[in-house]
Amino acid sequence: MIIEPWALIDHRPDSSPTARTLFNLSNGRLGLRGALEEDRDIADQGFVNGFHETWPITYPEDAYGLARVGQTIQPVPNPTAFQLVVDGEVFDPHHSRIDGFERRLDYRSGQLTRRLTWHTDAGATVRIESARLVSMVEPGAAGLRYQVSVDRACRLDLTSYLTLPRTSHEDGTLDPRRGTQVSDPLVVIDSGVTPGLHATIATRRAGQTMTCVMAHEIDRPALGSCLGRPLADLEQGATDAHNLDGQATDTCADDLSQTTAASGSAGQAPGPRSVGETGDRLSRTVSADLAAGQDCTLTVLACFDPDAERAWSGLDRLQRRGWDDLAAAQADYLDHWWRSADVTVDSTDPAVQGTIRWNLFQVLQASACAQGASIAAKGVSGSGYDGHYFWDCESMVLPALVHTAPTIARRILAFRHATLPQALERARELSLKGAAFPWRTINGQEASAFFEAGTAQFHINADITYAVNRYLRATNDEDYAAGEGIDLLVQTARLWADLGFFGRDEHFHIHGVTGPDEYSALVDDNLYTNVMARTNLELADHWLAHLAENQPDAHTRAITRLGVTDDEREVWRRAAAAMAMPFDPDLGVHGQDAHFLEHEIWDFQGTPPQNHPLLLHYHPLTIYRHQVLKQADTVLAELNRPDLFSPEQKLADFDYYDPLTSGDSTLSASAQSIMAAEVGHMDLAESYFLKALATDLDDSHANAADGVHVASAGAIWSTLTMGFGGLRDWKGLRLDPHLPPSWSRLRFRLRIATAVLEVDITHDDVGLTLITANPDAPTCLTVRDRPVSLTADAPSITIRLTH
Amino acid sequence: MIIEPWALIDHRPDSSPTARTLFNLSNGRLGLRGALEEDRDIADQGFVNGFHETWPITYPEDAYGLARVGQTIQPVPNPTAFQLVVDGEVFDPHHSRIDGFERRLDYRSGQLTRRLTWHTDAGATVRIESARLVSMVEPGAAGLRYQVSVDRACRLDLTSYLTLPRTSHEDGTLDPRRGTQVSDPLVVIDSGVTPGLHATIATRRAGQTMTCVMAHEIDRPALGSCLGRPLADLEQGATDAHNLDGQATDTCADDLSQTTAASGSAGQAPGPRSVGETGDRLSRTVSADLAAGQDCTLTVLACFDPDAERAWSGLDRLQRRGWDDLAAAQADYLDHWWRSADVTVDSTDPAVQGTIRWNLFQVLQASACAQGASIAAKGVSGSGYDGHYFWDCESMVLPALVHTAPTIARRILAFRHATLPQALERARELSLKGAAFPWRTINGQEASAFFEAGTAQFHINADITYAVNRYLRATNDEDYAAGEGIDLLVQTARLWADLGFFGRDEHFHIHGVTGPDEYSALVDDNLYTNVMARTNLELADHWLAHLAENQPDAHTRAITRLGVTDDEREVWRRAAAAMAMPFDPDLGVHGQDAHFLEHEIWDFQGTPPQNHPLLLHYHPLTIYRHQVLKQADTVLAELNRPDLFSPEQKLADFDYYDPLTSGDSTLSASAQSIMAAEVGHMDLAESYFLKALATDLDDSHANAADGVHVASAGAIWSTLTMGFGGLRDWKGLRLDPHLPPSWSRLRFRLRIATAVLEVDITHDDVGLTLITANPDAPTCLTVRDRPVSLTADAPSITIRLTH
């Protein structure tokens, strides 16, 4: 693969699962994995965020309060497949004789395009170009285009398919990072070929529905006799084939009769039927006799919606817009995105820039049109991790969005508030006050079936409110503060106050939890958890005070609605102030938890390389009792609360934990990079950054096949801005840049309230420029220790960095 | 129910699951639950120790090294059912008009007998007596007897059934203490009615087989015309009915033709077939016209064996012996047992003595004929806990056997050595040296599907070797020491040396384990585990030294076989000496683990009574993070190693932990009683004792239905001898008696090597009498601080107790 600054390019027809991930197109709502147009095994290659099946979790040994409702994302009908037949010869990119193959994912056009030349056995030269997009402006929309030109007269049969989903088989290998296989999850409610290919499916138990409808348009400058009719006619008379064997129905467009037998089974099924294992397909074939030099373009528009009526009306709208308009809107949208989100580096390694953009593009692809949903661990690029939402969203992806696309961030945050009722209910099940958000979920209910690394990760509640605070600080969104924001802050603060307790040492302790580092479990006073809980308690109190000052009426309403008392807030303040912070005076480092530093140190020397990731080669008990980390959550704590730790302490902690960090989590490298930069280990910072950068493109964790590591992609933005840019946003925006030796320049932009600030960093200075000024207030920040205030009148400054 | 000194008596026809447990008959090999003779729902009421099905454990979230092979005990064919029809009227103990009903489980005859009078609707008075035994001398044998006498001429049809097993349905309620339901586990290999009722079943995946064969004998002083033939004829011509509807086949013995249709399906099935849900039955009916005053007795002998040939030859042997001989042998065996095992108390509560004997009888019933098997949590009295073997056997039941029936103890211990290969393999899976015995198992493989309270309970390895040592000390069995004993000791010592490590504080630590108290999990330095590991390490070293001194050749062989090095032993000694023993100087008590005392104390006040046991009402996370105990394992540690804790310390620890002990484990009350007696809380000692005593007879944990709590029953012996008798056996036998105020006397006997010592305790003195002297050595012990040595010449002494 070739990494260009604005595109990912492949010169061979790679249908591997990993390639399908890397070339996926998605918009946070709809995702179509990057199969080749001619691939047949694509029944599980399309997803809609949150479209899932539920199933009863059964435990071989049960216990009270365990999660009961399994949730697994399900594939949706996939409109990406085509079949091209020229003079009876089927085009197969893997076996046909081709040259000039190039597939390109372009981050500015937002299209996946492909071009190649096919030399048929019969001697024809066929030029094939295709393009595909998942619209950033029409949440349920995909567009596909397949263009053929020939060097001599040929008979051409081009089929477009709507491939119905199936679920894949359990292959028996152990990898808890993969999705769960649910048996028989889907029902086809309806499918047919008129007025366009369409299918409505439902998940059997969760009762969710999804309709995909398609429109086809043939557009050829010099049209052959059999296709010389307007679109409407073509649509009416399209060939329909309920095609199970992959052979195109060889019907000339001159005789556009329906293949009635197949149509009957696919289009007029008497009732719901299960989707077959082989993946049923609906198809539309256009046939033509092309003259030498002629070309032919088939354009397909597809619209997805849970409601069939809305799908059809959405398709109407798409048809009115047409491909060109959708493509133009896509490019406009991306231009807008890159103007905020682009991060540019001048590096000696030319691939770095393109890889950064691939990652940032994935952040957008995972989030842009999400609505009523969060961001899954794999976005909508695959079914890994069951399509579940974790803390990844709030902790790793939202930071990139809050300062670049706050409207998206706001929509994503809405999911947690919408599922607050489930979180309140879950807290009751756990005998706790307030709200306990699920460790992993689609529908708001806890779906983690391993509570030790699931429900025990209470920190997710503080991660959510940390994101709330991050959003509020970046946007000054007072409405959100007074409504959803304060609800989340208060209910999670209540959880912490009840979960923890004042110990004999008068510190506030939180016991029996699991931190982000899943290589320890059920520990006491996990440093990350305690720091974040403390922050949660402080923030709830802070934003209540903020409301009282800035929106007295809203404050009164919130207090009443939530029943907050002064006594309660006093407990929050006391608990936050007294929060236990494990520290070992002998080692001079913070404990990852109260007792971590007492454990035996993992024998890294005696661990062969093939035994990574450790979780696939060692019993959890073996891992838990050792000092070994999947990721350094002590580092995360110190990144989130820079005020609580001295520079010397951060250095000591980093130097202690870094050698213990296996990096088996894809979330690890970016955090290590940021902290390495802060403590001055610039070589390490760069090497960790490059490791994080390559997570998917190098498939360094050997599971890119299951989908994009969206959290890792999101963390690339943080690594650049927080790591090398030294950005911190805790009680005041701060920059403390440190470029890696091999870079000469780093530029990024930040949305701060209504302002847009460009940051331009070299080894010697930092340039700050207000691209857009905030009319209401100066934009204030600190560069190293120097306060800076920018306004429309004084929008720019350059600050010399002294070393 | 009435509790007599030597019998449990019921005056109503109680077919409840609990009654079936309380009246079960078993011998450690075969168990027949106490259904009434006429009960039809008995397809899952007979068990053979270790006869199980395996199944693949699937986890909703998987991990490396988790247990893969589920194992669940399966029912065997049940020969206990009869049907009596008099003049066409079916006897139903629940609905027929009866008086004088008495059911009696007699601990000296080892029989379950029943007598009643039935007043038929037709006006006849029918006297029915039945008896049942599971032989203590013939491991696979059961005998049943059904006797009828009438007050006027009657037509009598008496049917004996062999009921084929079925598995019960999952009822969806949560109770992890119950057994797992395996789908479709059993196949009927063969069944038929000639030469006697017989059935061979197999478990589908585990491939275990079990045959039950039956012989019937009719024996009536004045025989009616139709039955006046010798047994052999009767057998040949017996009525056969494959009877599914429970109606007796109404065939006069004058016409002993087979009911061919039914016979065909049951007796000549062409191949294996699944057992139906309704529980198929084979039957034999005898019919007779009785004159007034006549009686009729049907005697049934049944023999179980995995091998069909051996089952038939075993049945031949039983027939040659006959009922009377089996009954006599049973009484002889029990007489012998009670001469060693009986514990008598003179208490103001007359029920205490009988309840003690019921419990001691259950210890024998769970163990007497076990061979190639251990003692399951429910013995063979039910399917609770899947028929699995836990630490219960070695820790709670073997103490009672070692000093009363050492031959049985030796046979039970053999199971662990036989499964040492699996334990060595399991240690490899856990990345550990030595042997890691499974927390729960039937076939030697780990079957615990919740590793936090399963595999994490490494203490089972030390529990096993503690039992080995206990047995060796009680018996001086040098052969065992040199062979199986030393193998177990060395391989488990290796485990501990590798599992733990020398920490920064130079203590030896064992982290990430779970102690017997399952209300904490994955803790560091669980006191019980560390004390027992230390003991394990010391014992391995000790018995190697013992062998070197006493059996130099055997020592050399063992060293060679096991590859033990001096360096290795030096590590064991160092680790044992440096073993961490959590102690809190501020509280002045030992920590249950390194950090237990830092936890929040459970809100017992705020816990409504109906929320016990806690495990059924609180999430494990809620329980784990609090100071709350299912059972006090600190107490257990102090009982096993009295030398390591001062009396003051034991008192302080008991007083701290007792209020935190929920007693949700049935293993809790007995340990609390013993320690309460030691520290001088005699009222508490007595009340805990009475609680332990009533575990099953009062069904105080609401699950006696699933089988006898054999560990609790075994612990009754320990509570009496160790608690009130003050018996300890660590580096010297010691007695320090303390009777409860309401008792005037306590007597028990101990086998010590070849000696039998009777201990006779009052509030004022202790009488010691050698019932059998050891010809090789004096029998030495300490009473309080006074050394005593008894020989054949001076076999008796009375020691005054000063208070």
Side-chain angles (χ1 to χ4, degrees), chain B residues 383-400:
Chain B
S383 59
Y385 293 101
D386 279 338
H388 285 174
Y389 315 132
F390 294 79
W391 74 312
D392 305 35
C393 170
E394 282 80 5
S395 298
M396 307 289 159
V397 189
L398 281 186

Side-chain angles (χ1 to χ4, degrees), chain A residues 25 336 717 763:
Chain A
L25 286 177
H336 184 75
W717 186 88
H763 286 282

